Amino acid sequence: MNEDNYLNAGYSLRSWFFTTDHKRIAILYFASLIFFFFIGGAAATAIRIELATPQADFVSSDMYNRLFTMHGVIMVWFFLIPSIPNTLGNFIVPLMIGARDLAFPRLNLLSWYLFMLGGSVTLFAIAAGGIDTGWTFYTPFSTLYSNSYVAVAVTGVFIAGFSSILTGLNFIVTIHRLRAPGLTWYRLPLFIWSLYATSVILVLATPVLAMTLLMLLAERVFHVGIFSPQLGGDPLLFQHMFWFYSHPAVYIMILPSMGVISEVVPCFSSKPLFGYYFVVWCSIAIAAIGFLVWGHHMFVAGMSLYASLAFSFLSYLVAVPSAIKVFNWVATMHEGWIRFDAPMLYAFGFIGLFTIGGLTGLFLAALAVDVQVTQTYFIVAHFHYIMVGGAVMGYFAGLHYWWPKITGRLYPDYWARFAAILAFFGFNLTFFPQFILGYLGMPRRYQSYPPEFQIWNVLSSAGASILAVGYALPLFYFAWSILRGPRASANPWGATGLEWTTPSPPPTENFPKTPTVIRPPYQYDRGVPCPQADNG
Amino acid sequence: MGERAIGFQYSTVAQERETVTLGMWAFLATEVLFFGALIAAYINYRIWFGAEFIAAASLTKVALGTANTAVLLTSSACMAMAVTTRDAGKTRAPVLWLVATALLGLIFIVIKATEWFLEYQEHLVPALNFDLGRHGGVAEIFFIFYFCATGLHALHLLIGISLVSWLAFAIGTDRLKPGSTTRLIGLYWHFVDIVWIFLFPLIYLAGRNG
């Protein structure tokens, strides 16, 4: 183990909670996100227990509404959105571009404090009695009728939004200005390109959510009409503004995962990534077109047919760059020296599940099909394939890929592979039956259902228990790895990025000497990696 | 004005300058979308309820609003002078220009507060004393937007005034090392000005073209 590293630079609480080291802030985020992930997961567990039987028997209907809202709010804003950018991104971005830190280290710490403040406020709303509006906070229910802690929860989300903005801003500026000598834009690893695209969305979409939530708060707290139809307001306006953020937010969740997969696939295929430029510009295209498709959440909300047609067309269009990426990853593996380590297994899982999620997204972009399946479990299954099958699988892939770099320790590969396979099967068993349920007409957000749907719901609940084991296993072997794991070398996987040229775990200043980049990423000479810099 | 230390994450002074400048522009991009969302929602209703919004807009104090526009534009000119003189290496001139900028900002706030007080007396404040019977629900929507927009703008301006006052103090007492700070705060100040340039015609001048 590297003698002088960021982990043994100080052991006091102060050296962690007032650190400006991007690597330590990443660890702070990581610990917080595990906490929120298990809170959101607990709500999901209760939902799946309730749905195992057709009758409403486990919790009251009021409680059920609060459970799925809590699951959505926590998972979207306090796990998925910050997941890869704030943990892996925070840790890896400066290392990957050969910088000593992010451009604004103190802003980075502030971002974590804002996140924790927003999270605490939202948790307070949940502990005090919960929210029953669904994570979308649709008006006028959320502003006029709901008797739950909407205002507090919305305030929490509002605060957490500033954390997102600061992180996005920091990444954009860092990637523009702090790249090592020789690291041109087209030599940037694709993880950096994806986080750049993600950051643009964070900076440009989050403020719109902030303003929308402020208007919602004004209406709820002061009882004035902004979206309320009684006073001439337009409830659809809320939906437009909400989805103007929340659809790009889907790309905030999936783009970083795509970036991870673009790192993992060439590394474990020991081959250059196929079509680097296409993947780069597909990331940018997804971010750009992603801003123009929000209306597909509102096809049945009473929008003009012409608007629906335009949104439908654009939604098909945004699928093209995503599909190009999938083909690029598959082509990269073609004739490669593939190794089946845990990160690669998670990457396989991502590619398969994301493809199913993406293809069913095309069903939903079709106006007529959407009318049939909107507000059913088909939607629930579709977005879980993207957000859990895609984003979370990518997060786990990245975690397993960079774990030796972050901790300086290896983990038991056998258990990690087992967890990856378990999560893949558990996931499919949980969510594939929901496609069928939705197609048969079971609406989302109901706690009871006709008995003929029970078989699919039981399958789904059984799958959820397997998935839960798949997600819990890493806790154990990662804990073991920290305590007992064998030391990791600087480049255990044979990867080419700059982050692998510095010791594991990296020293506080990242590189003993600023590296000079001499070649593009993912260069392999007959399976032998050619690092981007000769020596860090 | 000797050598100065740069942040450990930078390698040159130029790199630090370019980095912090880009950071401010990225922040302003966020702000554009923040106000942009409010303005878009306002325009939505402005188009939808054309006649009602024109009637409601006629209740705003256009003379005070116009005076305030002049005050704010003048403050931006002062800010620009502060940046230019600071870049030229002067020490006394930028302080004076900054003080003028902050004072003009304060005058804007005073005039704005006067407007709000007059509107309060006329029962135009939603949630507080809005006279629904006299003006109707749509006029209330107009005034919600009016108070949200001008209120958020005033909040930004107050932050700007604090920053400019601190800057004048720091330069005047020679606590500030040479660098980009003046230009960054200048960018922010001009941005707050530009927000007003959009708000003024949208709110005050609706239907006043005849």
Side-chain angles (χ1 to χ4, degrees), chain A residues 60 146 153 322 461 463:
Chain A
S60 67
S146 170
S322 305
S461 292

Side-chain angles (χ1 to χ4, degrees), chain A residues 55 207 332 346 424:
Chain A
Q55 306 81 26
T332 304
Y346 278 112
F424 180 78

Side-chain angles (χ1 to χ4, degrees), chain B residues 130-210:
Chain B
F130 192 81
D131 191 344
L132 263 182
R134 188 150 48 134
H135 304 300
V138 173
E140 194 186 34
I141 295 182
F142 174 87
F143 274 96
I144 290 163
F145 278 101
Y146 166 79
F147 280 102
C148 283
T150 55
L152 281 171
H153 176 262
L155 182 68
H156 278 76
L157 193 60
L158 282 174
I159 294 171
I161 293 169
S162 320
L163 288 172
V164 167
S165 311
W166 166 80
L167 187 64
F169 174 77
I171 296 177
T173 52
D174 208 19
R175 280 159 212 256
L176 192 73
K177 300 188 199 95
S180 314
T181 317
T182 313
R183 199 151 19 84
L184 295 187
I185 294 177
L187 280 175
Y188 175 82
W189 189 272
H190 296 314
F191 168 78
V192 176
D193 231 30
I194 289 171
V195 170
W196 182 257
I197 300 294
F198 279 86
L199 291 183
F200 175 66
L202 280 171
I203 289 174
Y204 290 84
L205 301 186
R208 289 199 204 252
N209 55 347

